[in-house]
Amino acid sequence: MRIKKTLVHIVDHFEEYICALLLSTFVILLFVQIILRQFFAYSIPWGEEVATYMFVWFAYLGAVVAAKMSAHNRVTFQFKFFPPIVKKVTESIADLLWVAFNLYFTWLSYDFVFNRMNSFWKSQTTGIPMKYFFMVLPAAFLLMSIRILWNNYLVWFKHVELVDPESQELEAIKRQGAEARDSVVEGA
């Protein structure tokens, strides 16, 4: 049972772990590059190029993490004037359109990477075929679609209210402000 929980946790946070690894690796790589250049008049020939590819992977997988957390920007002010079901249905329709776009882009990018890309197109400094760097496109858009559909499953069938982290933070700040105001009023 413990192994199953650990495995589910790893799968659920897979993108976050990859993003953390990519971020720390490209920051360390760039830091080493700066130190070598400034103090030893040497530069790692492939350092900046690989760091750039890592950053691109980090950005796309970060978008997947944001989709998982329901943290992508949405305009939701207008829903305050309607019953909650209107918000739920409208956001689900928007999510389905988003998934349709993502799946179409997944297909286009898969076709580009595996069928149309010149197989001799290689990275300038590492010699690695460029398709390995571009594979983030179909992977990220497919993962994003899966995360969006999973969130909609949680909303409609498990009745989970998804709140983006920014809204949670704003609510915490409001509560702290109200508590501080109440303590000042009580003290006066």
Side-chain angles (χ1 to χ4, degrees), residues 157-171:
F157 297 104
K158 298 293 184 178
H159 306 291
V160 174
E161 184 180 347
L162 299 174
V163 181
D164 71 284
E166 186 176 287
S167 295
Q168 290 174 336
E169 188 68 27
L170 286 173
E171 288 300 318

Side-chain angles (χ1 to χ4, degrees), residues 36-183:
L36 288 174
R37 190 176 295 146
Q38 292 298 318
F39 297 110
F40 301 103
Y42 177 75
S43 177
I44 302 171
W46 48 265
E48 289 179 33
E49 183 180 15
V50 170
T52 301
Y53 295 138
M54 292 172 117
F55 178 75
V56 170
W57 272 74
F58 170 76
Y60 278 103
L61 292 177
V64 175
V65 172
K68 174 189 162 205
M69 297 169 65
S70 290
H72 281 278
N73 292 333
R74 293 176 186 250
V75 177
T76 59
F77 175 77
Q78 70 276 13
F79 295 126
K80 292 181 181 185
F81 303 111
F82 296 104
I85 190 70
V86 173
K87 177 182 179 185
K88 193 174 179 181
V89 169
T90 306
E91 285 185 351
S92 295
I93 291 170
D95 283 348
L96 290 176
L97 290 171
W98 186 11
V99 167
F101 168 80
N102 285 348
L103 293 176
Y104 178 66
F105 198 80
T106 300
W107 178 74
L108 287 176
S109 57
Y110 179 87
D111 183 49
F112 172 71
V113 170
F114 293 104
N115 298 327
R116 299 182 189 278
M117 184 178 275
N118 185 340
S119 60
F120 299 108
W121 190 20
K122 297 185 190 274
S123 167
Q124 290 182 351
T125 58
T126 63
I128 297 171
M130 290 300 289
K131 75 173 166 182
Y132 296 116
F133 298 118
F134 279 93
M135 276 200 292
V136 71
L137 294 173
F141 282 94
L142 181 62
L143 286 171
M144 201 178 314
S145 298
I146 291 168
R147 291 301 190 175
I148 295 165
L149 291 172
W150 180 253
N151 284 349
N152 277 282
Y153 168 78
L154 292 175
V155 167
W156 284 98
F157 297 104
K158 298 293 184 178
H159 306 291
V160 174
E161 184 180 347
L162 299 174
V163 181
D164 71 284
E166 186 176 287
S167 295
Q168 290 174 336
E169 188 68 27
L170 286 173
E171 288 300 318
I173 290 170
K174 287 178 186 177
R175 278 194 305 273
Q176 288 174 350
E179 290 170 4
R181 186 182 60 244
D182 292 343
S183 66

